[in-house]
Amino acid sequence: MSDLAVASHEHGVIRLFALDMRPEEAKFLREPGAVDQILGVAGLDPEQVDVFPVSDLEDLGLYGYLTEGCDVSADQLDHTALDAIDGWVLVVRSAAFRGRAAALRPDRRLRLIGLYTEEATSWAGGRIETESAKPYSAPQSAPQNDRPRRMGSAVLVLLILLVIGGALWLIL
């Protein structure tokens, strides 16, 4: 599979493009549907696409943006090459394709810098062997008496009636 082909099951992949265009043209890519046109696909989720000048990242840079902001492992990145990139960039996450396969046909003004994968959480774990992890291992308490405490309710009702009666006696 090429870097420009998106599989329907793709997850956690980030494509980074350099934009060889005037700043006004790059800013226009923030408009709905503009990135769809420049990548040659339809229906991208705009929340999963970023278009920005590298200068906006200030001291963080593209390397920091990818490692800290996008959770890309440092071993996938070339720090020197990323620091050399200036101008505007386009970041497209695989979630932008909404689970659909796509073949990207980018405009000639886009240059693919790299394809990176986000670090995935490993949900695998071994069995917990402690006594407290076994089913029904918590101490069993005696069942509670479910009968309502009628005495407390009766006293509360009597107290409310006395307050209302006292208020009426003062009014009349």
Side-chain angles (χ1 to χ4, degrees):
M1 180 186 304
S2 80
D3 291 347
L4 298 177
V6 180
S8 61
H9 62 277
E10 182 178 284
H11 178 73
V13 177
I14 298 170
R15 286 173 177 79
L16 178 65
F17 294 91
L19 303 178
D20 183 26
M21 56 182 65
R22 294 188 325 266
E24 299 81 31
E25 293 175 302
K27 285 180 190 176
F28 177 73
L29 294 178
R30 294 177 176 168
E31 296 296 321
V35 173
D36 297 23
Q37 291 175 0
I38 203 158
L39 286 177
V41 295
L44 291 176
D45 181 359
E47 294 294 318
Q48 300 298 325
V49 176
D50 293 324
V51 179
F52 57 88
V54 175
S55 62
D56 281 0
L57 299 174
E58 297 178 352
D59 293 336
L60 187 65
L62 272 177
Y63 181 83
Y65 172 82
L66 291 169
T67 55
E68 295 177 30
C70 298
D71 203 25
V72 173
S73 64
D75 62 335
Q76 296 181 55
L77 303 173
D78 181 354
H79 199 301
T80 308
L82 289 173
D83 283 346
I85 297 169
D86 59 352
W88 287 71
V89 293
L90 169 67
V91 179
V92 182
R93 293 172 196 81
S94 56
F97 300 97
R98 303 178 192 214
R100 295 185 313 251
L104 301 180
R105 295 177 308 281
D107 187 275
R108 59 180 171 74
R109 297 173 292 174
L110 266 69
R111 179 175 46 93
L112 182 65
I113 295 171
L115 185 90
Y116 310 105
T117 55
E118 298 172 304
E119 288 189 16
T121 302
S122 174
W123 296 103
R127 291 181 49 88
I128 300 174
E129 300 295 335
T130 62
E131 188 66 31
S132 63
K134 293 181 180 175
Y136 308 109
S137 62
Q140 300 296 320
S141 60
Q144 296 285 337
N145 185 356
D146 291 338
R147 291 185 317 168
R149 298 192 175 137
R150 296 182 196 272
M151 186 63 180
S153 299
V155 170
L156 183 63
V157 169
L158 183 61
L159 188 62
I160 291 173
L161 287 175
L162 284 172
V163 170
I164 292 173
L168 285 175
W169 182 73
L170 287 174
I171 292 173
L172 297 175

